[in-house]
């Protein structure tokens, strides 16, 4: 019984997102327009849960959940910059978001980066410094990875010559305070 759904890279216009919202029977929607045919973010939620969007960009939707309850918390749906040479912009965005609030914080989405080589199979090795920058921003924000159940890779690319690359680019991270408020949370990688 999902209450909130975040989708990165919707590749959809508003009419299509309205159709999806109707099909999954969610009451509310906040979206960031796609650029040309790529990108796009959307946050859907049901009545009964209070969601106040604080800020958004092409790379994030940041919201306070249940602000007027005893245990308000923060959710950020995140989409990391896909171009490697611009990835530092994503990490700067996370640092800025970190400074805005001390609420328990859950951040989920497509970070477009891995934290260690074992999160990638195939292709060239990821440069250590590139992964280190991601690890540093996760530490700076006080995030712990919630792990997952299911297939370890969330993205893949296959070429006609038979070679493939598999990576864990999508993840859910949270502050210690969030995890303390919601112990036992499990992230599932589901087949699409």
């Amino acid at each position: 019984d999902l209450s909130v759904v975040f989708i990165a890279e919707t590749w959809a216009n508003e009419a299509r997102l309205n159709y999806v919202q109707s099909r999954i029977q969610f009451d509310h929607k906040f979206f960031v327009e796609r650029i040309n045919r790529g990108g796009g973010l959307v946050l859907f939620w049901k009545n009964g849960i209070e969601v106040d969007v604080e800020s958004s960009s092409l790379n994030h939707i940041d919201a306070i959940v249940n602000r007027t309850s005893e245990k308000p918390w923060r959710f950020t749906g995140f989409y990391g910059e896909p171009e490697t040479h611009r990835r530092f912009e994503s990490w700067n965005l996370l640092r800025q978001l970190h400074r805005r609030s001390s609420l328990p914080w859950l951040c989920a989405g497509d970070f477009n980066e891995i934290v260690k080589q074992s999160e990638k199979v195939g292709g060239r090795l990821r440069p250590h410094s590139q992964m280190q920058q991601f690890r540093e921003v996760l530490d700076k924000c006080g995030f712990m990875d919630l792990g997952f159940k299911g297939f370890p890779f969330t993205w893949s690319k296959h070429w006609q010559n038979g070679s493939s690359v598999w990576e864990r680019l999508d993840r859910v991270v949270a502050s210690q305070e969030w995890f303390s408020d919601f112990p036992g949370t499990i992230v599932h990688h589901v087949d699409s």
Side-chain angles (χ1 to χ4, degrees), residues 58-121:
L58 295 176
N59 298 92
H60 84 289
I61 298 174
D62 189 44
I64 305 298
V65 179
N66 294 331
R67 181 188 306 270
T68 60
S69 74
E70 288 182 26
K71 289 196 174 191
W73 55 281
R74 180 180 185 196
F75 172 77
T76 303
F78 196 79
Y79 176 56
E81 180 58 52
E83 296 179 41
T84 304
H85 71 278
R86 294 184 58 197
R87 195 95 17 95
F88 73 94
E89 295 172 16
S90 296
W91 311 150
N92 287 341
L93 173 60
L94 279 175
R95 285 183 189 95
Q96 290 170 9
L97 291 169
H98 171 65
R99 289 190 294 266
R100 290 183 187 170
S101 174
S102 60
L103 286 173
W105 190 14
L106 179 75
C107 184
D110 178 355
F111 291 84
N112 271 314
E113 191 53 82
I114 60 175
V115 297
K116 54 189 174 185
Q117 291 295 344
S118 62
E119 294 181 339
K120 180 179 184 195
V121 172

Side-chain angles (χ1 to χ4, degrees), residues 52-56 62-64 67 100:
D52 297 313
V53 174
E54 297 283 298
S55 68
S56 66
D62 189 44
I64 305 298
R67 181 188 306 270
R100 290 183 187 170

